[in-house]
Amino acid sequence: MPIEAHGGTREEPGWLCYCFDITKQDVLAHFARPDASYETLVDETNIATKCTACRLDLEVLLERVHLRPGATSLSGQSVQDHGRGIKVRQDLADVGFYLNTDQVMTVLRVANEGLLFDDVSRTVPYNYTVWVFSDRGKLCQKVKGKLGRREALTLSTEDLQDCPEYGWFLLDLEPTESNGLMGTVRPQMAVVGPDWTATVHTQLVSMACRYKSVLAHRTRGRFAIDISLINPNLWSAQVSLDVARLDGQVLACEEVSLPSRCAKIVSLDRLEIDRRLDGIFRVGVRSSLPVSKHVIVRHNDGSVSLDHFPNAK
Amino acid sequence: MISGLFRYLVPVIYPLFPASTGVLTLVLDLDQILKLRSARPFDGTLNIRLRVFEDGQTASEESLDFEVKGGRTGAATITRTLETSKLGYAELHVEADSAVFYKIQSAPGYALLSGRNIGTLTVNADQKFANPRVIDEIKATGRFCMQHSACLVDRARNIGNSLLLINPYEQGLVAQILGPDGKRIRERVSSRYCSLVDLGRVVPDGVWSSYMVTGSNRVLTYDVRHPADRPLSPTSIDHLDVFSGVPTHQRMTLVPAMRRHVRNMLRHAGLAYR
């Protein structure tokens, strides 16, 4: 099977690093050794350390070395169409929360740009649908539209009529042609204050999970951290949120009932923990159904930073 | 690498800001790493190497060996607080004395940047090499391109946005930062240096914009939000994303394809959103 890197195949070794006379076969032979690693390869051969033009090709070549048995790519995705099976669009339904107060608004942004703002040959147009829900599960808005090549969607909670102060949204992107790459369409959500912004990628709804944990820093008896929970399922979810020391000892726990299509923000400072305990803790969220979880860290200057819990896979 | 198993996990990189901004806290749960990544419980040695780089030099280095019995170290989690006097980065290696890992990517998670004035920020690690998304992109497009689609610079409101470039490799590189209106700047980043670039130089003021980064070689990138007049006081640190080389459609066998189709129909009928 040919190696994907430019200019050679497994049968025809091909030069990889002209500066140090290294072929692809030399690299593969190095990795046949039990003590081989990227670092030993660079240390012993100096590959990719002079003009560095070969480093990207080396990365592609090393994918073959780093593959799990039976896998075809490190990401589990195939960038080539092998022509077997039914062609189905990727599931591009993302979920996120929004804040919409006097001081803070949320912006959802999706851009469909060409490679390096130039080559649009591998991009395709999309249809999009955004469902905006209140925290109590009421569908407040449904926004539909088209996102052409070189276009961007910028949807602000300010633009939505009767948008609640807190809730969640689901964004579905439907590619209208089947021969493109996803390119830049991974959505971003931004929370915007009077003099600050914070962004995070929205998370695929299929990546919601039943248990994940994150780290949290407590100073002067205060976390200043909120956890946003979204239940996009048809059924109610029981959620258990606990704060534990790094050695696993649980210090506090809160049970939350989250009805279907509802969202809730839980402040970690609501949990009863000895005020003298400061430091790094582990916050675990366990739920009876897959639930989307985000961390909202409130800062002393009024700004916030955001992150979602790690993906399910 | 022997029979599909690896001795090491891909080194991961964490950005470091000057101590006047804050300190970065890393927490390593070794038993969790072994549980998630080793193919089977094993006996041997696990080496953890943490190096901090500043101005192209190694500012500190620590190497720890742990005895592993039955796939567990018995060690509590390792916590390290890292700080530098300037912009820098930390590089973390995890290596076993035999091939035990079935997957080379480190388990997801983030570190905490605790600011002197602001509070705490979450910081994602990036992989030094073998990032599956970058490899997919290079295979599909032949180019290296990182991008962020929600950049905002608004000087009237003192909202700033910068790009942090980290070059953990052995040779210098030149990164190109491109704005949506054709503006572009070139930034040289020497080996094992970092550079913070004001995005106000490439994106229009007061307008939500995208920007892209390419270069003579791969570079690690972070999107940093901060007051426009204080770039070293971040309020949010986000990662960029690759120009995805994943196709918009995938091939499936009949049953999963039907399941996907039904799920899409139910979602658009407002019956089931997940």
Side-chain angles (χ1 to χ4, degrees):
Chain A
M1 181 182 292
I3 292 166
E4 308 293 347
H6 312 288
T9 65
R10 187 180 287 278
E11 293 77 26
E12 297 171 18
W15 292 106
L16 186 67
C17 175
Y18 285 91
C19 302
F20 294 103
D21 291 349
I22 300 166
T23 65
K24 291 170 185 170
Q25 289 292 44
D26 293 335
V27 172
L28 294 172
H30 179 91
F31 276 92
R33 286 168 29 189
D35 65 335
S37 70
Y38 177 86
E39 312 297 334
T40 58
L41 175 72
V42 174
D43 285 349
E44 293 175 19
T45 65
N46 289 323
I47 190 170
T49 61
K50 196 171 180 185
C51 81
T52 72
C54 61
R55 187 178 297 137
L56 295 181
D57 286 344
L58 177 62
E59 289 244 4
V60 176
L61 180 65
L62 288 184
E63 183 189 38
R64 185 168 297 277
V65 173
H66 288 139
L67 280 182
R68 295 157 68 178
T72 53
S73 74
L74 278 177
S75 64
Q77 305 265 11
S78 174
V79 298
Q80 288 182 328
D81 186 348
H82 297 289
R84 295 185 297 272
I86 302 167
K87 215 167 183 182
V88 182
R89 74 175 173 98
Q90 301 273 6
D91 186 8
L92 299 177
D94 279 69
V95 67
F97 69 91
Y98 63 81
L99 301 171
N100 180 43
T101 65
D102 292 341
Q103 295 285 311
V104 177
M105 67 170 182
T106 303
V107 172
L108 177 62
R109 198 154 196 285
V110 189
N112 188 19
E113 300 285 358
L115 182 67
L116 301 174
F117 292 112
D118 183 27
D119 177 10
V120 293
S121 62
R122 304 297 301 277
T123 60
V124 298
Y126 291 80
N127 292 326
Y128 67 83
T129 310
V130 186
W131 293 265
V132 182
F133 295 89
S134 71
D135 58 337
R136 297 186 174 204
K138 182 187 168 199
L139 178 62
C140 305
Q141 299 266 342
K142 185 175 177 183
V143 183
K144 296 180 80 165
K146 293 184 186 304
L147 184 67
R149 294 181 177 93
R150 287 199 172 121
E151 288 181 355
L153 163 68
T154 306
L155 185 64
S156 163
T157 50
E158 274 191 340
D159 304 332
L160 300 173
Q161 285 189 336
D162 302 323
C163 183
E165 286 198 351
Y166 167 63
W168 66 283
F169 61 84
L170 184 81
L171 163 67
D172 189 29
L173 286 168
E174 185 182 355
T176 58
E177 296 172 16
S178 64
N179 56 348
L181 303 177
M182 295 210 284
T184 67
V185 296
R186 195 174 178 197
Q188 288 273 354
M189 56 171 277
V191 175
V192 187
D195 55 1
W196 53 266
T197 62
T199 59
V200 65
H201 280 296
T202 54
Q203 193 175 29
L204 287 170
V205 71
S206 57
M207 289 293 175
C209 60
R210 291 171 195 261
Y211 178 76
K212 284 289 174 186
S213 67
V214 292
L215 299 174
H217 194 188
R218 192 173 197 241
T219 49
R220 298 188 202 99
R222 188 168 166 263
F223 280 110
I225 290 175
D226 298 331
I227 305 292
S228 167
L229 304 167
I230 300 166
N231 177 15
N233 299 286
L234 270 178
W235 300 276
S236 290
Q238 294 302 312
V239 183
S240 169
L241 190 147
D242 61 60
V243 175
R245 293 177 192 267
L246 295 178
D247 63 11
Q249 183 195 351
V250 176
L251 299 172
C253 184
E254 174 146 341
E255 302 287 331
V256 178
S257 181
L258 204 56
S260 167
R261 297 173 192 170
C262 288
K264 190 164 193 171
I265 287 182
V266 180
S267 168
L268 290 186
D269 290 321
R270 258 178 43 180
L271 278 67
E272 287 187 16
I273 300 172
D274 187 336
R275 291 192 64 81
R276 293 165 297 180
L277 283 179
D278 280 349
I280 307 286
F281 297 88
R282 193 173 296 281
V283 179
V285 181
R286 193 178 301 278
S287 52
S288 57
L289 295 171
V291 161
S292 292
K293 311 165 185 79
H294 292 82
V295 188
I296 308 168
V297 187
R298 288 180 273 114
H299 303 146
N300 301 334
D301 65 353
S303 64
V304 303
S305 59
L306 315 167
D307 219 326
H308 59 66
F309 275 53
N311 286 338
K313 295 166 190 166
Chain B
M1 195 273 289
I2 294 178
S3 60
L5 297 179
F6 308 97
R7 275 196 321 119
Y8 58 93
L9 299 177
V10 173
V12 290
I13 307 289
Y14 295 90
L16 296 174
F17 282 78
S20 55
T21 300
V23 296
L24 189 87
T25 305
L26 286 180
V27 177
L28 291 175
D29 187 338
L30 301 182
D31 287 348
Q32 187 69 5
I33 292 171
L34 291 172
K35 184 180 163 192
L36 291 173
R37 290 293 179 259
S38 59
R40 60 182 181 278
F42 73 100
D43 294 342
T45 306
L46 190 71
N47 176 259
I48 306 293
R49 189 156 52 116
L50 183 62
R51 286 187 291 176
V52 173
F53 293 93
E54 185 179 349
D55 274 352
Q57 305 293 322
T58 307
S60 66
E61 184 168 1
E62 184 180 18
S63 180
L64 299 167
D65 284 328
F66 295 88
E67 191 180 347
V68 182
K69 283 192 172 169
R72 297 179 66 86
T73 61
T77 50
I78 304 169
T79 305
R80 289 291 179 273
T81 302
L82 308 172
E83 58 179 68
T84 46
S85 60
K86 299 175 181 172
L87 283 173
Y89 69 92
E91 187 172 316
L92 175 72
H93 291 243
V94 176
E95 195 168 332
D97 59 353
S98 59
V100 295
F101 299 116
Y102 73 92
K103 186 177 180 183
I104 57 162
Q105 273 77 34
S106 297
Y110 57 65
L112 298 174
L113 177 68
S114 302
R116 299 265 189 254
N117 303 315
I118 286 181
T120 303
L121 308 180
T122 56
V123 180
N124 288 284
D126 201 350
Q127 295 180 48
K128 186 174 178 182
F129 61 90
N131 183 327
R133 288 179 171 162
V134 172
I135 291 171
D136 281 350
E137 176 194 38
I138 298 165
K139 277 160 59 176
T141 68
R143 299 295 298 264
F144 170 72
C145 173
M146 303 296 291
Q147 55 90 21
H148 197 288
S149 57
C151 172
L152 181 68
V153 175
D154 191 338
R155 295 192 193 283
R157 293 161 63 194
N158 200 27
I159 293 176
N161 198 166
S162 292
L163 170 70
L164 176 63
L165 300 164
I166 300 176
N167 178 8
Y169 306 110
E170 297 78 8
Q171 189 62 271
L173 56 85
V174 178
Q176 264 197 74
I177 303 128
L178 293 82
D181 301 332
K183 283 188 184 171
R184 57 181 61 196
I185 49 179
R186 289 162 63 87
E187 181 77 10
R188 171 167 281 282
V189 191
S190 301
S191 170
R192 302 202 165 103
Y193 272 79
C194 304
S195 180
L196 194 64
V197 181
D198 177 12
L199 291 167
R201 294 163 61 191
V202 291
V203 299
D205 193 79
V207 181
W208 289 99
S209 309
S210 302
Y211 65 92
M212 298 195 194
V213 184
T214 184
S216 59
N217 221 313
R218 200 186 150 197
V219 60
L220 305 189
T221 51
Y222 286 90
D223 179 87
V224 181
R225 311 283 160 142
H226 53 78
D229 56 358
R230 284 178 292 136
L232 288 177
S233 297
T235 55
S236 173
I237 301 172
D238 195 8
H239 60 85
L240 275 72
D241 209 2
V242 296
F243 181 94
S244 176
V246 175
T248 52
H249 290 66
Q250 61 185 129
R251 298 265 179 192
M252 285 182 167
T253 53
L254 181 63
V255 172
M258 291 301 292
R259 197 179 294 139
R260 173 77 58 87
H261 187 63
V262 169
R263 189 165 61 190
N264 285 337
M265 286 202 316
L266 292 174
R267 190 177 284 150
H268 283 266
L271 296 173
Y273 292 100
R274 192 167 182 279

